[in-house]
């Protein structure tokens, strides 16, 4: 039993590096390294030695912040291994939505001609990517704007140096929220397409990963959490989030607060006025204002403190609600006259 649990944990931990569906797949890390070296040597004028030193600097990979990233990733792999089977599943959502549509539409439409298979496949892949990205924007913005949720999301922002593994520096509560988000979005989208197109529904994939996610990860997504500020041309940054723009999201500067919530697409930030371009050669400091750097990397700060801060946030919200109710003018009902 213990050996089986240890094997499952090892598989879950290593899956991040060997599964092309994960951001930290070794192939994506390799492509990010190549892109970083090309960017720093050809566009920034560094020598190859300087570029390698900038990519593999000690602050990014072995600072106290980085070591906290590694501990959180190791612990969360064990926690989510226990929690994930008990959470809402994509299959469960798909079945629920499919059955609801079957009743609402009183049956299913006939399938389109077989030669539309590739159209259905590309439409499904694109719709799933866009809906998934939009839902990430919405949840991410809520994590910043709702005090209770910010208490947990703040764990990610307390990183004072960035490396690709910082993407896993998240509190388990946030991890659960994103598992539920994924189940709802993926399950609902799958159910709708299966309802209308039956067995013609499939994803366009590369190495088993959805083609758009593969492209996003292969084209330098791991540089988002790094000190390599790869920016795009401004018109491009209004469509796609560059690594430098996500680093702006982590910045301590006041003008960067609550900016660039998008995952892959910047169009949501542009539409909802949370967009901010990256600036060439801009020096950024990372972390959370008012949080002592020597305290934010402990396990207590990363796991326990969010519960206490979240509890206080709920208490303050409840107190404000009660005070507002107490000061609201009372309207006497006609029957009381």
């Amino acid at each position: 039993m213990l050996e089986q649990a240890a094997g499952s944990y090892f598989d879950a931990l290593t899956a991040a590096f060997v599964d092309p569906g994960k951001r930290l797949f070794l192939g994506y890390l390799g492509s990010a390294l190549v892109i970083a070296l090309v960017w720093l040597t050809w566009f920034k004028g560094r020598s190859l030695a300087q570029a390698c030193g900038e990519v593999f600097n000690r602050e990014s990979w072995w600072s106290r912040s980085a070591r906290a990233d590694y501990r959180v990733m190791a612990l969360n792999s064990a926690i989510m291994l226990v929690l994930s089977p008990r959470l809402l599943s994509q299959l469960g959502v798909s079945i629920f939505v499919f059955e609801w549509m079957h009743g609402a539409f009183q049956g299913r439409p006939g399938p389109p001609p077989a030669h539309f298979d590739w159209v259905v496949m590309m439409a499904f892949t694109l719709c799933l990517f866009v809906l998934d990205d939009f839902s990430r924007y919405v949840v991410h913005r809520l994590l910043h704007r709702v005090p209770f949720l910010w208490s947990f999301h703040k764990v990610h922002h307390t990183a004072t140096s960035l490396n690709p593994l910082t993407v896993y520096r998240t509190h388990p509560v946030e991890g659960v929220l994103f598992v539920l988000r994924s189940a709802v979005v993926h399950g609902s989208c799958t159910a709708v397409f299966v309802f209308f197109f039956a067995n013609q529904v499939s994803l366009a994939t590369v190495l088993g990963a959805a083609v758009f996610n593969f492209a996003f990860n292969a084209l330098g997504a791991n540089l988002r959490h790094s000190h390599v500020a790869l920016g795009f041309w401004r018109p491009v940054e209004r469509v796609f989030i560059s690594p430098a723009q996500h680093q702006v999201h982590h910045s301590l500067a006041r003008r960067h607060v609550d900016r660039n919530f998008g995952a892959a697409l910047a169009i949501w930030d542009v539409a909802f006025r949370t967009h901010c371009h990256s600036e060439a050669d801009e020096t950024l400091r990372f972390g959370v204002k008012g949080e002592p750097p020597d305290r934010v990397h402990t396990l207590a700060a990363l796991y326990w403190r969010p519960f206490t801060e979240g509890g206080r946030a709920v208490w303050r919200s409840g107190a404000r609600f009660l005070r507002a109710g107490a000061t609201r003018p009372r309207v006497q009902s006609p029957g009381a006259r």
Side-chain angles (χ1 to χ4, degrees), residues 283-294:
T283 301
L284 302 176
R285 292 190 305 116
F286 306 123
V288 175
K289 187 176 181 180
E291 293 288 337
D294 59 332

Side-chain angles (χ1 to χ4, degrees), residues 20-21 25 27-28 31 129 204-221:
F25 173 56
Y28 303 146
S31 67
F129 172 73
T205 62
V206 178
L207 297 180
V211 63
F212 296 112
N213 291 328
F214 175 86
F216 171 67
N217 289 326
L219 295 176

Side-chain angles (χ1 to χ4, degrees), residues 7-69:
S8 298
Y9 172 72
F10 180 78
D11 291 342
L13 192 59
T14 56
F17 301 99
V18 299
D19 181 359
K22 305 290 186 182
R23 173 85 65 84
L24 291 183
F25 173 56
L26 292 174
Y28 303 146
L29 290 171
S31 67
L33 174 60
V34 171
I35 292 170
L37 294 179
V38 169
W39 169 257
L40 292 172
T41 54
W42 287 11
F43 295 94
K44 293 299 180 180
R46 315 286 204 273
S47 68
L48 183 59
Q50 289 173 326
C52 289
E54 194 165 332
V55 170
F56 295 108
N57 70 84
R58 181 180 175 84
E59 176 62 23
S60 294
W61 295 96
W62 202 244
S63 63
R64 192 174 180 186
S65 178
R67 296 196 301 273
D69 295 345

Side-chain angles (χ1 to χ4, degrees), residues 97-172:
V97 174
F98 181 88
E99 293 298 331
W100 177 84
M101 292 183 69
H102 197 279
F105 288 91
Q106 298 181 350
R108 297 171 61 188
H115 62 272
F116 274 87
D117 281 3
W118 69 273
V119 177
V120 174
M121 178 180 66
M122 290 306 299
F124 176 58
T125 306
L126 179 61
C127 284
L128 188 58
F129 172 73
V130 172
L131 290 173
D132 184 76
D133 199 76
F134 178 64
S135 69
R136 287 177 183 272
Y137 173 87
V138 171
V139 173
H140 192 182
R141 189 167 180 181
L142 288 174
L143 287 169
H144 278 255
R145 303 308 292 267
V146 178
F148 173 75
L149 297 179
W150 169 246
S151 302
F152 297 96
H153 182 59
K154 186 167 65 173
V155 167
H156 182 64
H157 280 269
T158 55
T160 50
S161 65
L162 304 180
N163 69 81
L165 275 74
T166 305
V167 71
Y168 285 102
R169 184 191 178 111
T170 57
H171 194 278

Side-chain angles (χ1 to χ4, degrees), residues 177-199:
L177 288 175
F178 271 91
V179 168
L180 296 177
R181 176 208 62 81
S182 179
V184 171
V185 172
H186 287 237
S188 300
C189 188
T190 300
V192 170
F193 270 81
V194 169
F195 181 82
F196 286 107
F197 303 111
N199 296 330

Side-chain angles (χ1 to χ4, degrees), residues 259-282:
R259 298 293 179 182
N260 298 346
F261 293 110
L265 299 176
I267 56 177
W268 319 121
D269 285 297
V270 172
F272 296 105
R273 299 183 180 180
T274 55
H275 179 264
C276 181
H277 285 292
S278 64
E279 299 290 342
D281 302 317
E282 184 176 27

